[in-house]
Amino acid sequence: MKDDFLYIEISNNIARLIRDKVLHAGDRLPSVRMLCQEHGISMNTAKRVFLELASQSLIESKPQSGYYVSQLPYQRLPIPAISNPSPVSSNSEPDELIRRVYSTRGKKGLTFFSIGVPSKELLPLAKLNKEILHAIRQLPASGTEYEQLQGNEELRRMIAARAISWGGHLRESDLITTAGGMNALSFCMMALGKRGDTIAMESPCYPGSLQLARSLGLKVLELPTHPITGVEIDALKKVVHKINLCLLVPNFNTPLGSCMPEENKKEIVALLAKHHIPLIEDDIYGDLYFGAQRPKCCKTFDQEGNVLLCSSFSKTLAPGYRVGWVAPGKYQEQVLKLKHAHAISSSTITQEAIANFLKNGRYDNHLRKMRLTLQQNYTHYINAITEYFPEDTKISRPQGGLALWVEFNKKVNTAELFEEAMKHKISIAPGRMFTLQDQFKNCMRLSLGLLLSEEVERKLKLLGRLVKSQTIQF
Amino acid sequence: MKDDFLYIEISNNIARLIRDKVLHAGDRLPSVRMLCQEHGISMNTAKRVFLELASQSLIESKPQSGYYVSQLPYQRLPIPAISNPSPVSSNSEPDELIRRVYSTRGKKGLTFFSIGVPSKELLPLAKLNKEILHAIRQLPASGTEYEQLQGNEELRRMIAARAISWGGHLRESDLITTAGGMNALSFCMMALGKRGDTIAMESPCYPGSLQLARSLGLKVLELPTHPITGVEIDALKKVVHKINLCLLVPNFNTPLGSCMPEENKKEIVALLAKHHIPLIEDDIYGDLYFGAQRPKCCKTFDQEGNVLLCSSFSKTLAPGYRVGWVAPGKYQEQVLKLKHAHAISSSTITQEAIANFLKNGRYDNHLRKMRLTLQQNYTHYINAITEYFPEDTKISRPQGGLALWVEFNKKVNTAELFEEAMKHKISIAPGRMFTLQDQFKNCMRLSLGLLLSEEVERKLKLLGRLVKSQTIQF
């Protein structure tokens, strides 16, 4: 615990030096070793100091060289305001727009700023292939047989063991595997919501969750959400009597990348439990933190089994494997029954492959690399946007995850920008996709999951030019 | 067409000779070559004659020897009567019983008469493994990427090409792949039924379909069903004004194994179209015909796109791969939207593996072998039941599929029989599982998908003894 305070204290001091311009952009910071000696701290603590500063985009690492004060003029571009959705469900689905954007999926030669999954260069393909081979050799009947209803036992054991990283406690018997994260959310919503019920979500929000709720006839109540600290608790308090269900993505949600502070998580868990409103928690981005420490989950503070924690390996290992999971708390029976009725079992081979990958201790190592890449991408994007985009552009400050949220002035229409950008082989995700209301038309989401290249740089520059030309037209 | 009539004419003639005792049990039939010469027909037509007779269990093939008049005293055991479910939905789910039977799944040392999937010895494991290897080598990003929403294009193309075998016409664009057959049924029911609606099904019926309907809040109307010719059309006509949706398994359904005659299929398709009631057709067993020719589907006669044809590779290749499909006709848009909202995409690698297996022309060859095995099993089971079970036992006469339905006199309680049998490491499927009403308690389903062995023979004998001891107790 002492170290916990130390690393925060030291990083706060350095942050102040940067903000007060004592340290300038481009200045080299002391090495990890030097920091140890200076402060009499362990290597681990020193590393956490740098990770913390990097997660705030105050410093950047340069390979084989060390840490430098970020070139990033982070104070120039403001963050967007707290969202302000209507307190009345409007349920106007942006179907046509979503279809248009998704239709670009898989097209050759496009730069996919629109897609919320890591590109293949960020994934451990060779190792995963080995695990697939191992799985078909190891499994009875080569994996052609039905997996047991609750899912691969070894996989559930490995997921349960990882709960320690978010301060939770799970046993393998608490878990049910699913065909990807959406399938987990689907079972939860089906188990707990009925046609006409109201479900509260963040705004802006992942389009898939909005579509899922609508497909089940649920009304969606969008909640004011802060780009840094997530959903506004006071707003939730005001409507808590009107809702039947709540879905939140507390850690690095898409598109904002916000992360709820621990005290907010605690408060929301208590609030919803008090009103007997189940909380579906989507933690699909939780492992992709840029800072020194993985954030906790709402589930961490769940005393009553009222939180259904969902996640998957689609954002960190292999979207196409369709392996997700849910820890449904006291709603386990209902969710299990739905899995039985709607799916019978999950995909045998890919579950086994991921279980082996985790068992071989490869996951943490992979995540470490991936987080570093995403964080570097984030810094790079912010620099590029500051340089190439209009001066009144606002951007979110994700401290993890795969998404960056960009807000332009009201003259810009990102649905039109999408069409313009497509002519230059750029695919973006227009803001209107992330709501069922008439808002966010001047916003867009950029995926951080790309492999940086001159091409990506060139495309960001081009995108900036397209935005600027839209503002001039008016 | 001439040959079509010829093979039926010749097989009918031989059938008459057997029924009239001109040919005796154990008599050897002429060889294929001799039949050709005798009747001036082609080898293919001659083969179809024998397949047809074998499918009626009138003759059996002995390896390297030829065809013999069946030992089977087929006329001794009667078939069960047409089922007589209550015309009022009762929706009493046999949850506890189903859980009890499913809990035996995967247990070592059991003889699984209870499970409706082929055992691994009947599956082409080595070839499938090769296709998995091929898939991860061939696929972009080794299959870690999301598959396109509608599903693997090559797989859809191969499925469309096979439509010719049931007299249908499909294009790849008509098809959507799913995570197994249940997932296809799930999307169809979700797309077309809302809470409180009534869905008509056969009785007895696959428990998974009953559970699926109940999980969506649908009321199930069970229809009188003939063990040979399937659902009773007159019964359906009587209730057609009261239902919103219909799910049928016209070809070799489980547990009866009935196969609707073509004229019935035609009539039902017209009847339901006239009343604007969508028909979900589950054809998961259609390829497993014992006779010379694959039966047609209801979809074959569907002029208006009112039939949603569902199937999968779970009963013929690999249950654990979770690869199914649906051709939703005019409801395509709704089903696709549900797949997007609830699943995003299907499992990339296993779809590709099955697509390759089909493309390499391996499927028909495999099916041929599998059908022969199932048919031999059927003959074997009927012989064993006739020999070992009480004389008043009734059995269905499946002409394809994986299930045999056995009805005992009313003294026998198959839920109790299940518990007794489990003590002897035998798992059966009690009849009460296949209905939401208070019926079929003296029935059971036996799976034909086992590899025959002395052990299986011994277990059938033992099962017969357990049944007999139940009848004596009273």
Side-chain angles (χ1 to χ4, degrees):
Chain A
M1 276 316 282
K2 191 175 141 269
D3 264 19
D4 264 11
F5 289 114
L6 255 183
Y7 96 84
I8 291 175
E9 201 185 303
I10 299 170
S11 61
N12 279 349
N13 281 338
I14 299 179
R16 204 172 309 127
L17 292 175
I18 298 174
R19 291 216 173 85
D20 294 346
K21 310 267 164 148
V22 178
L23 290 168
H24 288 189
D27 279 359
R28 188 173 178 179
L29 289 165
S31 67
V32 174
R33 195 171 301 275
M34 279 166 67
L35 204 69
C36 291
Q37 291 169 354
E38 247 168 59
H39 295 272
I41 54 177
S42 69
M43 289 286 276
N44 266 341
T45 305
K47 278 183 193 159
R48 283 170 91 181
V49 168
F50 288 124
L51 277 172
E52 185 56 33
L53 290 165
S55 84
Q56 298 173 39
S57 304
L58 291 170
I59 65 172
E60 320 174 43
S61 79
K62 288 184 184 168
Q64 267 100 43
S65 171
Y67 282 97
Y68 292 78
V69 175
S70 181
Q71 293 291 346
L72 180 74
Y74 58 90
Q75 55 280 68
R76 241 183 62 200
L77 291 187
I79 62 166
I82 298 171
S83 67
N84 189 23
S86 157
V88 181
S89 306
S90 99
N91 298 326
S92 137
E93 294 179 66
D95 275 6
E96 202 40 62
L97 183 61
I98 289 177
R99 196 169 305 135
R100 181 76 188 95
V101 174
Y102 273 83
S103 72
T104 67
R105 219 164 76 171
K107 287 218 171 119
K108 294 252 163 82
L110 280 183
T111 303
F112 281 105
F113 291 119
S114 55
I115 287 187
V117 288
S119 80
K120 65 178 176 185
E121 294 84 0
L122 276 56
L123 302 176
L125 300 189
K127 282 178 187 138
L128 285 172
N129 283 351
K130 265 192 194 166
E131 300 299 1
I132 292 275
L133 292 193
H134 193 58
I136 58 179
R137 277 196 212 113
Q138 192 175 32
L139 283 164
S142 301
T144 58
E145 286 177 352
Y146 284 132
E147 182 48 69
Q148 56 171 293
L149 177 59
Q150 228 176 310
N152 186 300
E153 211 168 312
E154 204 59 17
L155 178 62
R156 287 186 286 121
R157 198 168 66 79
M158 299 314 299
I159 295 168
R162 295 188 63 78
I164 205 169
S165 73
W166 47 268
H169 178 76
L170 289 176
R171 293 155 304 175
E172 64 200 59
S173 59
D174 298 324
L175 289 155
I176 299 169
T177 69
T178 58
M182 279 314 288
N183 188 224
L185 297 183
S186 156
F187 289 149
C188 292
M189 276 198 211
M190 285 173 74
L192 300 170
K194 56 183 194 301
R195 198 164 284 273
D197 278 358
T198 297
I199 183 168
M201 298 188 194
E202 288 123 348
S203 184
C205 173
Y206 172 53
S209 299
L210 296 171
Q211 287 186 304
L212 177 60
R214 290 305 300 144
S215 82
L216 296 170
L218 303 178
K219 282 182 268 184
V220 177
L221 192 70
E222 298 180 43
L223 297 168
T225 305
H226 188 286
I228 305 287
T229 56
V231 82
E232 289 284 294
I233 296 191
D234 285 343
L236 182 58
K237 275 183 190 159
K238 266 186 215 158
V239 299
V240 76
H241 297 281
K242 292 199 286 184
I243 63 175
N244 309 89
L245 199 53
C246 188
L247 165 64
L248 295 176
V249 191
N251 295 329
F252 322 125
N253 59 3
T254 200
L256 287 178
S258 60
C259 182
M260 281 171 56
E262 265 181 38
E263 54 274 23
N264 290 18
K265 286 173 182 158
K266 266 184 219 169
E267 200 176 338
I268 279 187
V269 168
L271 175 72
L272 293 175
K274 189 178 142 199
H275 290 87
H276 306 291
I277 295 162
L279 171 59
I280 304 173
E281 178 178 30
D282 182 359
D283 189 48
I284 200 166
Y285 302 104
D287 283 333
L288 298 177
Y289 52 100
F290 300 161
Q293 218 166 4
R294 193 202 196 285
K296 294 198 165 55
C297 296
C298 285
K299 183 81 177 173
T300 314
F301 309 106
D302 177 30
Q303 305 285 334
E304 309 185 20
N306 192 46
V307 178
L308 304 95
L309 179 67
C310 300
S311 189
S312 89
F313 298 93
S314 298
K315 305 300 182 186
T316 54
L317 281 181
Y321 279 20
R322 311 313 296 124
V323 178
W325 54 270
V326 50
K330 64 182 171 189
Y331 310 102
Q332 168 130 356
E333 189 69 17
Q334 288 108 296
V335 172
L336 201 60
K337 203 172 162 186
L338 278 168
K339 181 176 177 186
H340 189 217
H342 290 257
I344 300 185
S345 70
S346 318
S347 177
T348 309
I349 293 172
T350 50
Q351 280 188 89
E352 179 83 1
I354 291 188
N356 286 340
F357 187 89
L358 265 62
K359 234 166 53 184
N360 293 339
R362 289 177 166 160
Y363 195 47
D364 278 314
N365 193 30
H366 160 66
L367 284 176
R368 235 184 323 266
K369 276 191 236 164
M370 192 168 165
R371 284 196 296 259
L372 196 63
T373 307
L374 293 177
Q375 192 194 313
Q376 286 168 346
N377 286 5
Y378 165 53
T379 310
H380 192 87
Y381 278 40
I382 291 218
N383 283 337
I385 290 170
T386 309
E387 186 166 353
Y388 304 130
F389 283 47
E391 285 195 1
D392 54 358
T393 301
K394 295 174 184 172
I395 37 177
S396 64
R397 298 291 194 280
Q399 288 172 47
L402 286 167
L404 191 66
W405 182 245
V406 187
E407 183 183 320
F408 303 113
N409 78 46
K410 295 275 181 192
K411 288 180 193 164
V412 177
N413 178 321
T414 48
E416 287 168 19
L417 180 66
F418 172 83
E419 297 299 342
E420 270 308 301
M422 277 299 290
K423 291 180 191 159
H424 301 274
K425 295 191 172 283
I426 301 170
S427 177
I428 59 161
R432 182 61 180 84
M433 287 173 65
F434 301 89
T435 176
L436 298 177
Q437 304 187 0
D438 188 31
Q439 53 175 346
F440 307 133
K441 287 177 166 177
N442 55 326
C443 302
M444 68 172 183
R445 185 192 68 178
L446 294 180
S447 167
L448 298 174
L450 278 67
L451 186 72
L452 282 190
S453 65
E454 282 179 23
E455 178 74 1
V456 170
E457 174 81 19
R458 211 173 58 76
K459 292 287 171 81
L460 281 172
K461 191 170 176 177
L462 211 154
L463 203 51
R465 217 172 58 214
L466 294 176
V467 175
K468 281 181 180 165
S469 77
Q470 270 212 6
T471 57
I472 292 162
Q473 274 165 15
F474 279 76
Chain B
M1 276 315 283
K2 191 175 141 265
D3 263 19
D4 264 11
F5 289 113
L6 254 183
Y7 95 83
I8 291 174
E9 203 185 301
I10 299 170
S11 60
N12 279 347
N13 280 338
I14 299 179
R16 205 172 311 128
L17 292 176
I18 299 174
R19 292 214 173 85
D20 293 347
K21 311 266 162 142
V22 177
L23 290 170
H24 289 190
D27 279 359
R28 188 175 178 176
L29 289 164
S31 69
V32 174
R33 193 171 302 274
M34 280 165 66
L35 204 69
C36 290
Q37 290 170 355
E38 246 168 61
H39 295 272
I41 55 178
S42 70
M43 289 286 274
N44 267 340
T45 305
K47 279 182 193 161
R48 284 170 90 181
V49 168
F50 288 124
L51 276 173
E52 185 55 35
L53 290 166
S55 83
Q56 296 171 41
S57 304
L58 291 170
I59 64 171
E60 317 173 48
S61 79
K62 289 184 186 169
Q64 268 101 41
S65 170
Y67 282 96
Y68 292 78
V69 175
S70 181
Q71 295 291 345
L72 179 74
Y74 58 90
Q75 56 280 66
R76 237 182 64 200
L77 291 187
I79 61 167
I82 298 171
S83 68
N84 189 23
S86 157
V88 181
S89 306
S90 99
N91 298 326
S92 137
E93 293 178 67
D95 275 6
E96 203 40 62
L97 182 61
I98 289 177
R99 197 169 304 134
R100 181 77 188 94
V101 174
Y102 273 83
S103 72
T104 66
R105 217 164 80 172
K107 287 217 172 119
K108 296 252 162 81
L110 281 183
T111 303
F112 281 104
F113 291 120
S114 55
I115 287 187
V117 287
S119 80
K120 65 179 176 184
E121 294 84 0
L122 275 58
L123 302 175
L125 301 189
K127 282 178 186 138
L128 286 171
N129 282 351
K130 265 193 194 167
E131 301 298 3
I132 292 274
L133 292 193
H134 193 57
I136 58 177
R137 278 196 211 113
Q138 192 175 32
L139 282 164
S142 301
T144 58
E145 286 177 351
Y146 284 132
E147 182 49 67
Q148 56 172 293
L149 178 58
Q150 229 177 309
N152 187 300
E153 211 169 310
E154 204 59 19
L155 177 62
R156 287 185 287 122
R157 199 168 66 77
M158 298 316 298
I159 295 168
R162 295 187 63 79
I164 205 169
S165 74
W166 45 269
H169 177 76
L170 289 177
R171 295 154 303 175
E172 63 200 60
S173 58
D174 298 324
L175 288 156
I176 300 169
T177 68
T178 57
M182 278 314 288
N183 188 224
L185 296 183
S186 157
F187 289 149
C188 292
M189 275 198 212
M190 284 174 75
L192 300 170
K194 55 182 194 303
R195 198 165 283 274
D197 278 358
T198 298
I199 184 167
M201 297 188 193
E202 288 123 347
S203 185
C205 173
Y206 172 53
S209 299
L210 296 171
Q211 287 186 303
L212 177 61
R214 291 304 301 144
S215 82
L216 296 170
L218 303 178
K219 282 181 269 182
V220 177
L221 191 70
E222 298 179 43
L223 297 168
T225 305
H226 188 285
I228 305 288
T229 56
V231 81
E232 289 285 294
I233 296 190
D234 285 343
L236 182 58
K237 275 184 191 158
K238 266 187 216 156
V239 299
V240 76
H241 297 283
K242 293 199 284 184
I243 63 175
N244 309 90
L245 199 54
C246 187
L247 165 64
L248 295 176
V249 190
N251 295 328
F252 321 126
N253 59 3
T254 199
L256 286 178
S258 61
C259 182
M260 281 171 58
E262 267 181 38
E263 54 274 21
N264 289 19
K265 286 174 182 158
K266 265 185 220 168
E267 200 178 337
I268 278 187
V269 168
L271 175 73
L272 293 175
K274 189 178 144 200
H275 290 87
H276 307 289
I277 295 162
L279 171 59
I280 304 172
E281 178 177 29
D282 182 359
D283 190 47
I284 200 165
Y285 303 104
D287 283 334
L288 298 178
Y289 52 100
F290 301 160
Q293 216 166 6
R294 192 201 196 287
K296 292 198 166 55
C297 296
C298 285
K299 183 80 176 173
T300 314
F301 309 106
D302 177 29
Q303 304 285 336
E304 310 185 21
N306 192 48
V307 178
L308 303 96
L309 180 67
C310 301
S311 190
S312 90
F313 296 94
S314 298
K315 305 301 183 187
T316 54
L317 280 182
Y321 280 19
R322 310 315 295 126
V323 178
W325 55 270
V326 50
K330 65 181 171 188
Y331 309 103
Q332 169 130 355
E333 190 70 17
Q334 288 109 295
V335 172
L336 201 59
K337 205 173 160 183
L338 279 168
K339 180 175 177 186
H340 189 217
H342 291 258
I344 300 184
S345 70
S346 318
S347 178
T348 309
I349 293 173
T350 50
Q351 279 188 87
E352 179 83 2
I354 290 187
N356 286 339
F357 188 89
L358 264 63
K359 234 166 53 185
N360 293 338
R362 290 176 166 160
Y363 195 46
D364 278 315
N365 193 29
H366 160 66
L367 284 176
R368 234 185 323 268
K369 275 190 237 163
M370 192 167 164
R371 284 195 296 260
L372 196 63
T373 307
L374 293 177
Q375 192 194 315
Q376 285 167 347
N377 286 4
Y378 165 52
T379 310
H380 192 88
Y381 278 41
I382 292 217
N383 284 336
I385 290 169
T386 309
E387 186 165 353
Y388 304 131
F389 283 48
E391 283 195 2
D392 55 358
T393 301
K394 297 174 183 171
I395 38 177
S396 64
R397 298 290 194 281
Q399 287 172 46
L402 285 167
L404 191 67
W405 183 244
V406 186
E407 183 183 323
F408 303 111
N409 78 45
K410 294 275 182 192
K411 288 180 196 165
V412 176
N413 179 322
T414 48
E416 287 168 20
L417 180 65
F418 171 84
E419 298 299 342
E420 269 308 302
M422 277 298 288
K423 292 180 193 160
H424 302 273
K425 295 192 172 285
I426 301 171
S427 177
I428 59 160
R432 181 62 181 85
M433 288 173 65
F434 302 90
T435 176
L436 299 176
Q437 303 187 0
D438 189 31
Q439 53 176 345
F440 307 134
K441 287 177 165 177
N442 55 326
C443 302
M444 69 174 182
R445 184 191 70 178
L446 294 180
S447 166
L448 298 174
L450 278 67
L451 186 73
L452 283 189
S453 64
E454 280 178 24
E455 177 73 2
V456 170
E457 174 82 20
R458 210 173 57 79
K459 291 288 170 81
L460 281 172
K461 191 170 176 178
L462 210 155
L463 203 52
R465 216 172 60 212
L466 294 176
V467 175
K468 280 180 181 165
S469 77
Q470 271 213 7
T471 55
I472 291 163
Q473 274 165 17
F474 280 75

